[in-house]
Amino acid sequence: MVNVLVIYGSPRAKSDSAALARALLEQRPADAAVKEYNAYRMNARPCLGCGGCDRQVGCVQRDLDGFYRDFEAADYVVFASPVYNGGFPAPLKAILDRFQCYYALRFAHRVKPPIEKHRRAALVLTGGCEAEGGEQMTAALRQQCTVLNAELTAVVTVTGTDKRALSQADFAEAREAGAVLFREEGEKENA
Ligand SMILES: Cc1cc2nc3c(=O)[nH]c(=O)nc-3n(C[C@H](O)[C@H](O)[C@H](O)COP(=O)(O)O)c2cc1C
């Protein structure tokens, strides 16, 4: 059995990024256990930059304890988010900042890797404008993945959603990304 953790970053009930993430998830293995979190319901406290995680192992704030456990157990992590002013919406950004305790584990406590389980990650982004490609968001998450023992394997970016509905091509792209994300080790790309 494999564990899939999904973190939704949209507040909208009819979220485009969530719809695409669900298409991506269609490709998951039959025995996958899926755990879903919505950043807007988690109300994660922002990182305080207090350095507490440099002195002790783990975050001094306890509100995400259960989430951290699920996150560390995941074989696959899917982030699905709209672009908000060029970045992640504040509730999701708070969670990403709270991964600072893994950075501290790696560099203050010298634990390598800071999370035992190696995992693959995917990012699904939707932006309302044509021009917004979420490049900085992708780059930032890719960088963060290095202390999360994660490999950002698949990225789906759909732009222009403020002027059009998601298309079949968008969903096909998400499914293709899912196929890449969940591809078995050693499986050939076009097999
Ligand atoms: C507060 C806010 C800020 C936004 N900022 C951007 C932006 O910087 N660039 C962009 O392309 N779209 C922006 N959008 C549009 C959303 O990214 C777009 O509607 C997205 O597809 C919504 O995804 P969702 O349905 O998953 O929430 C913004 C929307 C809101 C509400």
Side-chain angles (χ1 to χ4, degrees):
M1 195 192 69
V2 294
N3 297 320
V4 181
L5 183 89
V6 192
I7 309 172
Y8 297 105
S10 171
R12 300 198 319 133
K14 291 191 174 167
S15 155
D16 284 336
S17 53
L20 291 169
R22 283 193 290 271
L24 178 148
L25 287 166
E26 287 171 15
Q27 305 294 325
R28 68 188 185 275
D31 64 345
V34 181
K35 238 190 195 141
E36 297 177 295
Y37 281 94
N38 184 302
Y40 278 81
R41 286 192 219 113
M42 290 168 73
N43 279 324
R45 296 195 197 121
C47 174
L48 301 172
C50 64
C53 56
D54 286 339
R55 294 184 288 275
Q56 68 161 54
V57 167
C59 186
V60 297
Q61 305 190 83
R62 309 310 303 268
D63 58 312
L64 292 187
D65 283 2
F67 169 75
Y68 286 133
R69 268 194 297 279
D70 288 341
F71 184 73
E72 288 168 30
D75 299 281
Y76 300 92
V77 182
V78 178
F79 297 89
S81 179
V83 177
Y84 274 11
N85 293 302
F88 291 101
L92 177 54
K93 180 63 164 54
I95 295 165
L96 297 174
D97 288 345
R98 293 284 298 281
F99 288 145
Q100 181 67 12
C101 55
Y102 296 116
Y103 183 90
L105 209 50
R106 172 69 188 87
F107 294 106
H109 301 279
R110 308 257 165 218
V111 177
K112 194 176 173 184
I115 294 177
E116 213 171 295
K117 198 178 245 193
H118 181 71
R119 69 287 291 297
R120 291 193 200 150
L123 174 62
V124 178
L125 286 178
T126 54
C129 312
E130 278 304 340
E132 181 57 73
E135 287 85 1
Q136 286 188 359
M137 296 163 74
T138 307
L141 187 67
R142 195 181 295 285
Q143 175 66 32
Q144 245 197 337
C145 277
T146 60
V147 290
L148 303 175
N149 202 0
E151 186 190 339
L152 189 58
T153 315
V155 178
V156 179
T157 308
V158 171
T159 58
T161 61
D162 285 353
K163 292 227 174 79
R164 65 178 182 86
L166 293 176
S167 67
Q168 284 311 311
D170 297 328
F171 285 106
E173 195 192 330
R175 279 188 211 99
E176 266 171 44
V180 171
L181 177 70
F182 295 114
R183 188 192 302 142
E184 281 178 32
E185 292 293 341
E187 206 178 310
K188 286 217 184 83
E189 192 158 343
N190 295 316

